[in-house]
Amino acid sequence: TTAGGLLMYFPQLADNHAAGKLLKIAIEKSIPYQVIPPSENGTNYHGGTVLSTYPASKPSRNRCGLFVCRSALRVVLELLALDPTFTDLDVEVDVITDSNYIWELLGDPVALLQWGSYSRAKDFVYDGPELLWRVHSDILYPLARTYYRMRNQMLATPALGERTKPVAKSLMIRFRHESELAWTR
């Protein structure tokens, strides 16, 4: 069998012991089931690196790519919820992909917000650039819903009896192609 994988790298957390602990907690809360254990070639929380496998055998590259993006958003969300200092910061999240499919499908923030605005999966209507049968709505809808809720600051974890507070002063999330990075360097 073959399996896809996920590599998440948080350069801001590298070589920061306290941040490494937060990253480990965020991973355990958001994608605990497939994390490759810490080792020389595996996950290194204190280095800001997390390696994981796709939870199904023989995934298509497109399904794996969507799953990776969804997982990355879930981890970022947990990190924001764990550290209250983010509520005073402008946070920018760049999810980098080498997949043209993912880049084209998720590159439009207006479409992502629209897709995520449906409160129930059965109401979700896809109207994007790809053919409907190619979009894997079973993964796209939860990804878009998470994106929508994060962008609209709807996912802060309230303490008992407290009102929900924003997870960041402002939050920008972009899905970018790795080829864009060559032009920005």
Side-chain angles (χ1 to χ4, degrees), residues 1-75:
T1 65
T2 60
L6 155 66
L7 165 66
M8 287 186 285
Y9 176 59
F10 301 88
Q12 304 87 344
L13 306 182
D15 300 322
N16 182 328
H17 190 73
K21 286 182 179 182
L22 282 179
L23 180 58
K24 184 175 188 214
I25 293 167
I27 293 293
E28 289 170 350
K29 287 184 168 192
S30 56
I31 58 165
Y33 39 82
Q34 301 291 344
V35 174
I36 296 171
S39 69
E40 183 177 325
N41 295 316
T43 296
N44 178 353
Y45 296 112
H46 302 297
T49 304
V50 177
L51 296 169
S52 178
T53 60
Y54 186 81
S57 63
K58 298 186 181 180
S60 72
R61 181 181 166 127
N62 295 345
R63 285 188 69 76
C64 188
L66 284 171
F67 182 80
V68 166
C69 291
R70 180 175 179 228
S71 297
L73 289 183
R74 291 173 66 186
V75 171

Side-chain angles (χ1 to χ4, degrees), residues 14-15 20 23 46 91-92 95 115 124 126 128 131 136 140 143 171:
D15 300 322
L23 180 58
H46 302 297
V91 177
E92 292 185 23
V95 179
W115 300 334
F124 171 66
Y126 172 77
L131 297 172
H136 307 289
L140 177 60
L143 184 156
L171 179 61

Side-chain angles (χ1 to χ4, degrees), residues 1 38 48 64 78 107 114 121 130:
T1 65
C64 188
E78 286 297 332
Q114 178 185 333
E130 287 290 333

Side-chain angles (χ1 to χ4, degrees), residues 3-177:
L6 155 66
L7 165 66
M8 287 186 285
Y9 176 59
F10 301 88
Q12 304 87 344
L13 306 182
D15 300 322
N16 182 328
H17 190 73
K21 286 182 179 182
L22 282 179
L23 180 58
K24 184 175 188 214
I25 293 167
I27 293 293
E28 289 170 350
K29 287 184 168 192
S30 56
I31 58 165
Y33 39 82
Q34 301 291 344
V35 174
I36 296 171
S39 69
E40 183 177 325
N41 295 316
T43 296
N44 178 353
Y45 296 112
H46 302 297
T49 304
V50 177
L51 296 169
S52 178
T53 60
Y54 186 81
S57 63
K58 298 186 181 180
S60 72
R61 181 181 166 127
N62 295 345
R63 285 188 69 76
C64 188
L66 284 171
F67 182 80
V68 166
C69 291
R70 180 175 179 228
S71 297
L73 289 183
R74 291 173 66 186
V75 171
V76 169
L77 175 66
E78 286 297 332
L79 280 170
L80 293 174
L82 285 169
D83 190 344
T85 61
F86 284 113
T87 59
D88 298 328
L89 299 175
D90 297 316
V91 177
E92 292 185 23
V93 177
D94 286 334
V95 179
I96 310 297
T97 181
D98 64 351
S99 164
N100 288 336
Y101 167 83
I102 297 299
W103 182 53
E104 291 168 4
L105 185 64
L106 304 181
D108 182 354
V110 174
L112 267 175
L113 285 171
Q114 178 185 333
W115 300 334
S117 69
Y118 297 100
S119 60
R120 299 180 311 176
K122 70 180 189 174
D123 297 330
F124 171 66
V125 176
Y126 172 77
D127 60 354
E130 287 290 333
L131 297 172
L132 182 59
W133 65 270
R134 292 191 66 207
V135 300
H136 307 289
S137 60
D138 61 318
I139 302 173
L140 177 60
Y141 170 72
L143 184 156
R145 186 69 183 151
T146 300
Y147 177 86
Y148 174 84
R149 295 176 72 192
M150 287 176 77
R151 286 290 309 274
N152 288 298
Q153 300 279 343
M154 296 170 59
L155 282 182
T157 306
L160 205 55
E162 248 184 76
R163 290 179 34 164
T164 301
K165 295 180 181 176
V167 292
K169 183 177 172 185
S170 69
L171 179 61
M172 171 169 294
I173 303 166
R174 291 178 298 239
F175 294 91
R176 300 176 66 194
H177 196 278

